Amino acid sequence: MEGWQVVMNKVYITRANAITSMGPDLDALYTGLLENKSGIKKALRFDTAPFVSPYAALIDTLESKNKQSLIFELANQLIDQLPPIDKDCLLITASTKAGIDLLEKKNLIGSTISSKVFPSSLPDYIAQKMGLNNRGFNINSACASSTIAIGKGASLIKLGHADCVLICCLDVITDFTFSGFSALRAMSPLPALPFDKNRQGLTLGEGGATILLMGEKKMKSLNITPLAEICSFGIANDAAHVTAPARDGRGLKLAIKNACAMADISLDKISAFNTHGTGTVYNDLMEINVLNSLFSKNTRANSIKGAIGHTIGAAGGIEMALCVKMLETSLMPGTAGLKDPEKDAEHYFSPDPQKISGDYILTTNSGFGGTNAAIILKRSK
Amino acid sequence: MMSIVISGLGWVYTTSMGYAGDIKVLPSSKGLPPIERKDIFKEPYKPFGRMDYFSKLGLAAIVFAMKDANLHGSPHKNTGIIASSSTGCLETDMKYQATLLPENNTLPSPALFAYTLPSCFLGEASIRYGLTGESFVINETDTTGMTGLGMAVDLLAVGQIDYMLCGINNSQIDGVYDADGIDGIDATSIQPGAVFFLLEKKNRNPGSYGNLSKNESNTSFYYKDSPIKNLHDLAQKCVKKNI
């Protein structure tokens, strides 16, 4: 390996947006969270009677047109809000099930299926719609898909392989996913209560985010002011269980430590932590374990999934966009629904917005397959 | 140029499965083979029975690559896996979707639903070998596997990882697929099967296949100075015959 010259360029977020059940953009989400609003309601899109819960956080304006998958309608809404993007910008999408609802719209036996059901059709569709010079690719690593996609996009810029990367993160809720999480008994019968003693599981949500990354040179050439710097990232596997987190949080701890090592900062520099916080018993216990193992009780933490549900593969992108707002305002939204914090969580979480200090914020996601991803974001000066 | 060593290779195709030291030739025109536990593990391995075919397919190719690289026996923590796939676990998705049809009068299966995430087989491999590096699936319209290969080489280059498993996993897709308004994917062009490579920095394994290199702009890859188009092509070049 002698002679390898590895460059490490700085990577900046120059635009961040999110469409969620709280509204059509990032401001609607951030303001709604600060005002303790919730996007969780009884779902009317499909029959929830056979399932554990009637609740979901769905986007009111999302409707299937001409037997189109909802994912492409959501992609259209995200694209419509983007400014003109350089045609050479690399596209990465993050989605777990992309256009899976197309299976629901066809008789499976003996009929023609849209090729849009293939997961790679999502980046292909977005790239064509935007007229990009590449067809992009999708990253799938369960609920950590977006966080890993952003990390990989940042890596391509850090190493000098790209100077502009657009990350589109999106997942929608259909009969397919709703029935599955219900069957897994991961779903709460009532709206999710992350980190609360009375939590009973997650509430599913849908949403999308766009995160535009640029290298310093590209950004300066376009005279763009950065929103935040992607300081570093870490990704690790629990190697413990396919559908449950390692109770000691070993994979998440390793991902966070790797991110700190890449950023060359100590853990005490991180004053704010946007957790995955699904509201399931075991996920939240695992994260409380990690918080108490690695961080001081002065660290502020939150979860937004009690307000917009668990947006699966899009969660990391939406939370990344929100972290940009948190750094900009030094104010972290509260943990929606929290009334009686779980033991050892009370120091970190609050139902009300919390002031944050320092220059760094950590955001993490974990998922099936034992995957964990962490990104450290730095305030842009 | 960045250069790393290919020290293991395993595959499951319609024509053969295994690794250079143990190749099982399959009857022709039968599609992808059934994969039994005894094909990949001598010892009983309880989780194997619950897996879907897509997971068994990918896991088998990974196990063969680990055996080929002489890494099968013990845990190898600082190892990551990047898998490319055009199909994802669509076959499993269809089976799960069928359980939702009212006429089938069945309940959605939680065990089947868990495998409708195409990255789950990476979790299975990580558990089997204690791999704690990063693991994810890349879905590309044309599954060359080269995007994942570039990322794997980069991870070794920056010293974040000791070993990388990198490959392609595509199940056999039957049915008729409409382009449906986009260039999309040509389902007939997808090569069914799985192939994985074990990559590392140093030439540790005496049976290694030699060097793989890429240019600094991340656009061209070479195996022993010969350009490669995709990971299937690379596998043929490594074993020097049709597999």
Side-chain angles (χ1 to χ4, degrees):
Chain A
M1 197 60 63
E2 287 79 9
W4 282 40
Q5 296 292 318
V6 179
V7 290
M8 279 290 179
N9 299 317
K10 288 192 169 189
V11 184
Y12 295 92
I13 297 179
T14 60
R15 188 174 176 88
N17 193 24
I19 298 174
T20 65
S21 56
M22 296 280 264
D25 56 30
L26 180 57
D27 283 338
L29 172 62
Y30 184 66
T31 308
L33 289 169
L34 291 180
E35 293 171 355
N36 287 326
K37 289 181 181 169
S38 172
I40 298 174
K41 291 188 257 184
K42 286 189 177 173
L44 301 176
R45 184 178 295 160
F46 42 81
D47 179 17
T48 58
F51 307 130
V52 169
S53 171
Y55 291 101
L58 305 181
I59 299 169
D60 288 337
T61 56
L62 207 55
E63 284 178 29
S64 176
K65 293 169 191 159
N66 304 322
K67 288 192 170 183
Q68 176 79 285
S69 165
L70 287 171
I71 202 86
F72 298 104
E73 294 298 332
L74 180 54
N76 290 341
Q77 291 187 17
L78 285 168
I79 294 166
D80 286 347
Q81 291 193 47
L82 282 169
I85 301 284
D86 188 334
K87 302 296 179 206
D88 288 327
C89 185
L90 176 67
L91 173 70
I92 305 177
T93 63
S95 181
T96 58
K97 293 313 297 175
I100 195 66
D101 49 338
L102 289 167
L103 283 187
E104 297 167 17
K105 298 179 197 309
K106 306 274 180 178
N107 178 349
L108 288 178
I109 302 162
S111 73
T112 303
I113 301 170
S114 165
S115 71
K116 283 181 182 162
V117 78
F118 289 108
S120 57
S121 295
L122 181 59
D124 208 25
Y125 174 84
I126 294 173
Q128 285 184 53
K129 182 109 181 160
M130 294 180 66
L132 300 178
N133 293 332
N134 63 88
R135 299 176 81 176
F137 55 88
N138 183 61
I139 283 190
N140 194 329
S141 192
C143 304
S145 298
S146 289
T147 325
I148 292 178
I150 295 166
K152 289 289 123 186
S155 178
L156 290 168
I157 293 174
K158 272 185 183 289
L159 295 170
H161 300 324
D163 56 12
C164 176
V165 182
L166 174 67
I167 323 284
C168 292
C169 316
L170 54 173
D171 256 328
V172 294
I173 298 305
T174 69
D175 226 4
F176 189 101
T177 39
F178 203 85
S179 64
F181 278 94
S182 177
L184 283 170
R185 299 273 155 191
M187 197 180 267
S188 172
L190 296 170
L193 302 172
F195 298 106
D196 194 282
K197 279 180 184 160
N198 297 310
R199 70 190 181 281
Q200 299 181 70
L202 58 81
T203 297
L204 285 173
E206 64 189 5
T210 47
I211 306 289
L212 185 60
L213 306 180
M214 281 186 198
E216 193 165 20
K217 202 171 160 187
K218 176 81 174 177
M219 194 180 66
K220 282 185 176 167
S221 76
L222 296 172
N223 203 23
I224 291 173
T225 306
L227 302 174
E229 181 185 345
I230 300 250
C231 206
S232 65
F233 47 89
I235 309 167
N237 198 292
D238 289 340
H241 197 280
V242 171
T243 55
R247 293 193 186 193
D248 60 3
R250 71 189 81 149
L252 183 56
K253 284 178 194 168
L254 183 59
I256 292 169
K257 285 177 180 175
N258 286 347
C260 282
M262 185 189 284
D264 197 20
I265 60 169
S266 54
L267 285 160
D268 60 7
K269 292 281 184 195
I270 294 167
S271 53
F273 181 179
N274 177 89
T275 68
H276 190 46
T278 61
T280 65
V281 171
Y282 293 116
N283 174 81
D284 292 5
L285 276 182
M286 179 275 284
E287 289 192 275
I288 291 168
N289 184 332
V290 171
L291 269 161
N292 282 282
S293 300
L294 299 184
F295 296 99
S296 84
K297 293 188 169 38
N298 295 323
T299 308
R300 304 295 96 202
N302 80 335
S303 163
I304 61 167
K305 292 185 176 72
I308 65 159
H310 185 353
T311 52
I312 322 179
I318 293 167
E319 289 161 21
M320 177 64 60
L322 206 54
C323 284
V324 168
K325 291 295 279 187
M326 291 187 221
L327 278 179
E328 185 185 303
T329 59
S330 297
L331 195 60
M332 169 181 264
T335 296
L338 186 67
K339 290 191 181 81
D340 189 4
E342 181 61 87
K343 183 174 173 290
D344 296 329
E346 62 273 19
H347 305 289
Y348 307 103
F349 297 93
S350 165
D352 301 314
Q354 303 187 86
K355 284 197 169 176
I356 57 174
S357 57
D359 288 335
Y360 299 94
I361 186 166
L362 169 71
T363 181
T364 71
N365 296 94
S366 303
F368 282 8
T371 187
N372 301 273
I375 291 182
I376 297 173
L377 213 56
K378 188 179 179 187
R379 193 187 299 277
S380 203
K381 293 188 174 156
Chain B
M1 296 282 274
M2 292 180 172
S3 178
I4 49 96
V5 178
I6 301 172
S7 60
L9 161 60
W11 68 90
V12 179
Y13 286 129
T14 55
T15 46
S16 69
M17 62 193 267
Y19 56 103
D22 185 10
I23 300 176
K24 182 178 176 181
V25 177
L26 301 166
S28 58
S29 309
K30 295 271 185 176
L32 286 171
I35 299 169
E36 308 291 338
R37 187 269 302 163
K38 62 181 185 320
D39 290 327
I40 54 175
F41 298 120
K42 279 184 188 166
E43 67 281 13
Y45 190 61
K46 202 175 167 186
F48 193 78
R50 70 174 182 220
M51 293 177 206
D52 68 332
Y53 185 79
F54 182 75
S55 296
K56 288 178 179 173
L57 181 65
L59 181 64
I62 287 172
V63 170
F64 293 143
M66 292 295 272
K67 286 181 176 175
D68 197 31
N70 290 319
L71 293 174
H72 182 62
S74 52
H76 299 282
K77 281 193 166 189
N78 198 19
T79 303
I81 321 173
I82 301 176
S84 297
S85 182
S86 295
T87 64
C89 50
L90 187 56
E91 191 186 14
T92 311
D93 294 343
M94 288 179 173
K95 282 183 185 163
Y96 177 77
Q97 179 67 31
T99 70
L100 302 180
L101 297 174
E103 58 268 34
N104 289 344
N105 200 23
T106 50
L107 290 170
S109 160
L112 196 55
F113 180 70
Y115 288 100
T116 63
L117 282 169
S119 54
C120 273
F121 84 97
L122 306 179
E124 298 285 6
S126 297
I127 293 166
R128 174 60 184 80
Y129 291 108
L131 315 179
T132 58
E134 56 191 68
S135 55
F136 58 91
V137 170
I138 293 178
N139 308 122
E140 293 174 286
T141 304
D142 50 347
T143 308
T144 62
M146 304 307 269
T147 302
L149 183 62
M151 289 179 180
V153 172
D154 285 341
L155 281 164
L156 289 165
V158 298
Q160 285 179 338
I161 209 96
D162 296 332
Y163 305 106
M164 277 305 298
L165 282 154
C166 176
I168 294 177
N169 189 16
N170 280 321
S171 52
Q172 197 147 338
I173 294 297
D174 298 320
V176 182
Y177 294 87
D178 270 349
D180 199 9
I182 56 170
D183 288 350
I185 192 165
D186 176 6
T188 59
S189 72
I190 300 169
Q191 178 166 351
V195 59
F196 274 86
F197 298 84
L198 191 289
L199 311 174
E200 58 186 297
K201 283 181 185 178
K202 292 179 182 167
N203 199 359
R204 169 195 53 83
N205 182 17
S208 81
Y209 296 94
N211 285 5
L212 172 79
S213 54
K214 71 163 182 159
N215 63 357
E216 285 181 12
S217 57
N218 208 33
T219 50
S220 301
F221 293 79
Y222 303 88
Y223 174 61
K224 293 180 177 174
D225 301 326
S226 167
I228 52 172
K229 294 178 290 188
N230 57 56
L231 296 190
H232 299 302
D233 174 44
L234 177 60
Q236 304 283 358
K237 284 189 163 94
C238 284
V239 295
K240 296 175 189 158
K241 60 181 173 186
N242 291 329
I243 51 177

